[in-house]
Amino acid sequence: MTDLVQDVRFAIRLLRKSPYLSTIAVASLALGIGATTAVFSLMDALLLRPLPAVQAPSEVVSVVATTARAPERRMMLTWGDYVDYASRTDVISGLAAVARCDVSLVSGKLAERVPGLAVSPSYFSVLGLRPFLGRLLSPLDEQDSVAVLGFDLWHRSFGANPRVIGSPILVNGKSLTVVGIAPEGFRGTEIGGRREIWFPLRAYARISTGAIAPLTGRQDRKQPWLNTIGRLAPGVSVVKAQSVLDAVAKNLAATYPDTNAGLRARVLPLTETALGELRPLVLSFTSRLMLAVALVLAVAAINIAGLLLARWLARRQEIAIRLSLGASRGRLVRQLFLEGLVLGLLGTVAGAFLARISLPLLGRIELPSSLDVPGLRISGRVLAFAVLVSLASSLIFALVPALQTVRLALTPALRGGITRGRFGLREILAGLQVALALLVMIASGLMLRTLANLRSIDPGFDPSHVLVFSVDLSSAGYEGPRVAAFYQELLERLRHLPGVRAASMAAALPVMGADLRVDLTVSPEDGPLTRVGEESQPAVRHVLVGSHFFETAGMRLLQGRDFGPEDAPASTGEVLLNEAAARLLWPGQSPLGHRVKLTQTAAPFSVIGVVSDATYSSLKEKAVPVLYLSHSQAQQSFIGSLLASGMTLLVRTSGEPRQVLGGVRKTVHGMDPLLPVFSVSTLEELLASTIGVERQATFLYSCLAFVAMALAMLGLYGVISNAVAERTRELGVRVTCGATPGQVRRLVIGRSALLAGAGVLAGLAAAVPASRIIQSQLYGVEADDPLTWFLTPLVLIGVAVWVSMIPARRAARMDPVAALRSE
């Protein structure tokens, strides 16, 4: 034990004697470990760590419905199926049903949109939650007019006032009494689906509003609308629960063949369902990012290995003397490993600090969806990962001088000379650094090309100077003609605001997505109707718009006319099509005057115009067929009537869009103070968000590429500088024999370029299979893009030549007499 303490002290003294080397080594390791730890904390929060406040999360599961044809597709449960599955308390001790329900919350004079959840009474007990204040819903709670507030909502909207317990609040115009505050950090069981208010499931029917409200809340076996959260019974595994519910599902299919034929139940761990269908995308994204930072860490470790090898060469004679005096090679190897371990621990502390301060920035990263990443933190698991990475790195870079010690020949070492070939281990390590850095740089280059390609795409509309916000009249009880009258008056008032050039609205904006599709039939030349839908061609997307929508959105009218005053509620129904829909329905013809008949709509609609295609989900998608229906005629369409109450408004301004936000809020609240204005953004921000993942990936890969290149060049600089120092006598002889300063510079720079070139060749060979990993992230460019593969090595070799200029100039200015006397 005494020897071990002495070795640790000796390792610390050596580091203190070489502050420059120690600082470089710790800084290099801190960058590698810090980046790796930060990315792992993101993976931990999204994929590994249980949701905050949930007790024993490994016992919590979700039950979903699947079909024999599509076993991987997860569907919600009907009320009847939920009741039957919940009855099997022998395997699932409690099964709670939940239904999403965003609501308008009024507290005092403030109205805001709040994401809510209707839950069965056992919801909070199944999750093992304890209230921060008051109480939570329980199986003994018989009221349907109570609510639990989220901790953040309580702070934000109620000033963390404890007196809110027992006070009434208005939720979608219905009075609910606050009975408790959820524990801090709890936002529901869906990552990215933040919930801030919970109320009883039995209150869902009278509180829920919006387009899908008429289709949910039914206590039958026809309409699936429930998600479930359950806790496994003591001693029961997921496999056991699955086998029991398989039998239940089989019995239900036999008993209710009309509704349950082909349906199966699937039991999934909560940690797997928290991300839902986005889990594979997030896993793929974070895995690629982790691979990139692992390469940076490898470059850092190799860099430190080169530094320690250089110091070992400087101590070579000292180590040989110690061996000749009786020191064991094992003791010396242990000292070298302890020296690496001390460096690793210092790098871990610095890396954890870097990771900690970078978490707020990493938390704002745009993932493959608008996911709200739960609070990133350096948890025990993350800290353990950082220590493990540090130990592995320490072993790797301490292994190099340790192996040299084991193989050290005493006689040449005692003479003090350094016998080296043209390329030694240090040169190999430097070339390996260059190769690994090239891999990250190629990934960065490919993402830069992808981002440039995406930004060059014409979205089909003008996003500049457009403010976007949403209003939902259903939460305030507006129905029928009152909806159309309210929006018409609101648009007129908005158009008269200072700085407003145009205003309109739509149920689905470009880039916000128009996922609602409708099967329809068409009548060419008033002949027999032809169905367009799942059995023949893809259904057409259905978008409800207000007057002057295309002008406000900056879309081009190609044929016919726009919606106008003549398109009154009682007049013959009219629609506009985009170019893709026109090509789909009447290829090679003008669609004007033709008719389309929407599903569940009595009379057909006449086509009065064609507008340009626009991006509706992603810039990567091809133009999709879209049918536009006037909001004034929404009641003539079954789907239009469902969409009419909740609209997104656009306000085109002459200046900065957000400057009119105050006037917009005042206008809406002046018409109805109980209506919240929510989802405020600009059209430019929405368009930018469609490539947010690619933009963030490009930024992160570029940062990692810069760090990797800097570390590789630092290692290369050290090798070239040491080589110049070791070849002082040789260079002196060359100068004495007539070598010019230019020839000396070229000799040194050529060696650097040769090392970099060898590393580039090795990197290119490894990049051939490695680049395929990010192929799915690319757009408009292949993984083997010739331009990227040509420019990236060129840049790397150019920087290598540049960093070798300093030792090259030092060699060229060498005094030959002093050089010859140096040995």
Side-chain angles (χ1 to χ4, degrees), residues 5-82:
V5 173
Q6 290 177 348
D7 289 344
V8 172
R9 289 176 177 174
F10 183 70
I12 295 175
R13 282 200 305 270
L14 282 178
L15 295 178
R16 292 175 61 184
K17 286 178 61 177
S18 307
Y20 174 76
L21 182 146
S22 301
T23 301
I24 294 295
V26 171
S28 300
L29 194 58
L31 286 173
I33 291 180
T36 308
T37 303
V39 174
F40 181 77
S41 68
L42 180 65
M43 295 186 70
D44 178 52
L46 290 171
L47 300 167
L48 304 176
R49 192 176 73 212
L51 292 164
V54 176
Q55 299 299 314
S58 60
E59 300 174 4
V60 183
V61 296
S62 177
V63 179
V64 300
T66 64
T67 63
R69 291 184 177 180
E72 296 302 318
R73 182 187 175 194
R74 303 172 185 177
M75 301 181 296
M76 291 185 283
L77 300 181
T78 64
W79 176 270
D81 292 346
Y82 156 66

Side-chain angles (χ1 to χ4, degrees), residues 229-528:
I229 299 293
R231 184 171 291 276
L232 296 172
V236 176
S237 66
V238 172
V239 175
K240 172 64 175 177
Q242 181 67 67
S243 64
V244 172
L245 293 193
D246 280 342
V248 175
K250 186 176 181 179
N251 290 334
L252 291 176
T255 307
Y256 307 101
D258 292 341
T259 57
N260 287 68
L263 285 182
R264 298 177 178 177
R266 188 175 179 191
V267 182
L268 299 169
L270 175 64
T271 51
E272 183 177 336
T273 60
L275 281 168
E277 296 179 354
L278 293 173
R279 183 180 175 85
L281 289 175
V282 173
L283 179 60
S284 175
F285 179 83
T286 53
S287 298
R288 293 189 188 103
L289 194 56
M290 179 59 78
L291 178 59
V293 296
L295 289 175
V296 174
L297 178 60
V299 173
I302 294 172
N303 194 353
I304 299 173
L307 292 172
L308 293 181
L309 179 60
R311 185 161 68 180
W312 181 90
L313 289 172
R315 296 172 55 199
R316 186 168 174 266
Q317 189 175 30
E318 171 210 329
I319 292 174
I321 292 174
R322 293 175 66 183
L323 287 172
S324 63
L325 292 177
S328 68
R329 293 181 186 263
R331 177 74 180 273
L332 292 176
V333 168
R334 186 176 70 181
Q335 284 185 349
L336 292 172
F337 273 114
L338 285 174
E339 184 180 343
L341 182 61
V342 171
L343 273 177
L345 292 177
L346 292 174
T348 299
V349 173
F353 175 75
L354 287 178
R356 176 65 185 86
I357 63 177
S358 68
L359 289 185
L361 296 176
L362 196 62
R364 291 197 289 268
I365 188 173
E366 297 182 63
L367 294 165
S369 178
S370 55
L371 289 176
D372 181 20
V373 182
L376 291 175
R377 58 187 175 88
I378 304 297
S379 63
R381 184 189 288 110
V382 174
L383 190 58
F385 173 81
V387 173
L388 183 63
V389 168
S390 170
L391 291 174
S393 302
S394 302
L395 291 175
I396 291 173
F397 56 68
L399 185 63
V400 174
L403 290 175
Q404 297 297 311
T405 300
V406 171
R407 298 184 303 179
L408 180 65
L410 292 182
T411 302
L414 288 172
R415 291 174 180 171
I418 299 177
T419 304
R420 304 180 60 223
R422 181 170 178 79
F423 290 102
L425 182 57
R426 281 183 296 169
E427 285 77 10
I428 294 174
L429 292 176
L432 185 57
Q433 282 182 277
V434 172
L436 295 178
L438 182 67
L439 293 177
V440 187
M441 291 177 67
I442 286 178
S444 173
L446 292 173
M447 290 307 302
L448 283 169
R449 292 289 310 278
T450 291
L451 188 61
N453 291 338
L454 289 172
R455 284 178 169 171
S456 66
I457 296 174
D458 179 10
F461 59 90
D462 180 9
S464 61
H465 304 291
V466 178
L467 181 72
V468 175
F469 63 95
S470 296
V471 173
D472 186 3
L473 299 184
S474 64
S475 62
Y478 286 78
E479 296 179 351
R482 290 185 62 204
V483 172
F486 181 93
Y487 278 124
Q488 183 177 356
E489 182 180 352
L490 175 59
L491 288 177
E492 286 300 321
R493 292 191 183 190
L494 292 176
R495 288 164 184 158
H496 287 87
L497 288 177
V500 173
R501 294 167 50 193
S504 188
M505 60 184 177
L509 286 184
V511 308
M512 288 184 67
D515 296 328
L516 186 56
R517 307 177 186 220
V518 58
D519 292 348
L520 47 83
T521 51
V522 300
S523 174
E525 304 299 333
D526 294 329

